[in-house]
């Protein structure tokens, strides 16, 4: 066996791009090395750049492999190559970040070399950071929901878009769900775009009650497909087209034609299979930039529907939301494996309750920290008789994601 190489260089459209540790295995079960991951992105570069090119992006870096938590890098390194553009984004917190903007295949290879598996661009172009040109519909299935239900909800979403003179472009999320992208003229700010997305979600729920939900609070959704409108908030990003997701089979977020949505499955699309599909069929989203629409229809519908129902608030002056569901918190952990382990320990201590729970009653939430995710485990006791519901007790695991962090108004 030849020794592992420390680096190699690829000539990409006249540029020399360094790939460090090219023989490092990134996906052990799929047998995919770092160099092969770069080569995948080069094979689908036209489609990947259609989704992420020209947009500022958060660098989601898996420097310790797919089984470790990534860290999120907003600020691009000062010594980035000259073929990487930048754009300075300003956030509601008052902070700003100069983020990377890629425009060509060399830029794709550069971000993958940093340990990025998926691409996470903002819904704006670098030339206009305050007016999104993309509305994003994220169909997120709750536990217990199968693909056919996701498809049914997608078709309802398509009908709503049609009624509002908008064109939706579907793609697998690369996990269990489905994304629908909508190009819009950059004439509305983030607040208006989010309102349009929320209105669409509410109308989908109205047309498909029980199948779809626009309820933001997870414990209220049941076994339905959540139409996640908040992905259109200013600080949010989603994995763009042809992104490789950190799953063991190296699954890819893949654009589809609408006539494929019902017959294909997310697990069919991987780093191994997508390049051949791309070479044979091209990119199903090739016309997306020519289908620019207006939000007038959705914003008119927002006025017709009226304000969305707001959750009740605590009466102690804190302004905190009060859940309408009987929730208990089980654990807070640094990693997802630790969260799953804590859940199993709780189940072992509460075996009599486990059989009463529905799949959607167990919630493991990835919570965004300062630079990485942490995990919260909760259980909804709505299907447990009231007399048998346990009180909130000490957490099985109690990780503090803010320990040692210092910011204005807080001492370490």
């Amino acid at each position: 066996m030849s020794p592992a190489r420390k680096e190699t260089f690829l000539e990409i459209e006249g540029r020399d791009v360094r790939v460090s540790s090219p023989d490092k295995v990134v996906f052990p079960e799929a047998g995919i090395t770092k160099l092969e991951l770069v080569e995948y992105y080069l094979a689908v570069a036209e489609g990947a750049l259609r989704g992420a090119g020209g947009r500022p992006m958060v660098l989601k870096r898996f420097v310790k492999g797919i089984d470790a938590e990534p860290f999120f890098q907003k600020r691009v390194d000062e010594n980035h190559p000259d073929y990487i553009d930048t754009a300075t984004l300003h956030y509601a917190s008052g902070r700003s970040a100069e983020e990377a903007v890629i425009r060509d295949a060399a830029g794709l290879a550069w971000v993958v070399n940093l340990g990025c598996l998926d691409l996470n661009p903002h819904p704006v172009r670098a030339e206009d950071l305050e007016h999104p040109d993309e509305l994003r519909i994220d169909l997120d299935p709750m536990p217990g929901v199968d693909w056919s239900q996701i498809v049914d909800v997608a078709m309802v979403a398509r009908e709503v878009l049609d009624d509002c003179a908008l064109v939706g472009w579907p793609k697998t999320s690369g996990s269990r769900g489905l994304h629908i992208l909508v190009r819009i003229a950059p004439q509305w700010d983030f607040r208006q775009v989010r309102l349009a997305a929320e209105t669409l979600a509410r109308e989908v729920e109205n047309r498909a009650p029980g199948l779809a939900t626009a309820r933001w609070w997870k414990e209220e959704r049941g076994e339905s497909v959540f139409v996640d409108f908040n992905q259109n908030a200013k600080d949010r990003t989603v994995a763009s087209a042809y992104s490789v997701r950190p799953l063991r089979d190296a699954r890819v977020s893949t654009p589809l034609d609408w006539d494929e949505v019902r017959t294909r499955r997310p697990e069919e699309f991987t780093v191994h299979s997508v390049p051949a599909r791309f070479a044979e069929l091209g990119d199903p989203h090739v016309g997306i930039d020519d289908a620019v629409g207006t939000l007038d229809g959705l914003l008119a519908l927002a006025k017709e529907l009226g304000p969305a129902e707001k959750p009740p608030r605590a009466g102690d002056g804190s302004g905190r939301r009060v859940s309408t569901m009987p929730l208990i918190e089980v654990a807070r952990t640094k990693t997802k494996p630790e969260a799953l382990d804590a859940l199993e320990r709780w189940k072992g201590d509460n075996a009599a309750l486990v059989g009463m729970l529905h799949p959607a009653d167990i919630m493991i939430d990835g919570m965004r920290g300062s630079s990485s995710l942490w995990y919260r485990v909760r259980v909804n006791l709505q299907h447990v008789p009231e007399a048998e519901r346990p009180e909130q007790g000490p957490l099985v695991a109690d990780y503090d994601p803010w320990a040692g962090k210092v910011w204005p108004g807080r001492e370490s």
Side-chain angles (χ1 to χ4, degrees), residues 18 30 48 78 96-99 185 195-196 217 220 228 257 309 323 339:
R18 175 178 176 268
E78 291 184 0
S96 63
E98 188 177 10
E99 298 190 6
L195 173 61
W217 304 107
E220 297 177 356
D228 189 352
D257 286 321
E309 181 181 355
S323 177

Side-chain angles (χ1 to χ4, degrees), residues 4 27 60 78 161 172 190 199 219 229 268 283 296 340 351 378 381-382 388 405:
F27 290 91
K60 183 181 175 184
E78 291 184 0
L161 291 172
T172 63
F190 279 92
T199 301
E219 67 270 15
F229 55 87
E268 297 179 52
D283 181 12
D296 291 345
L340 293 170
R378 296 178 298 159
L381 301 174
Q382 61 180 326
E388 300 178 41
K405 299 289 192 303

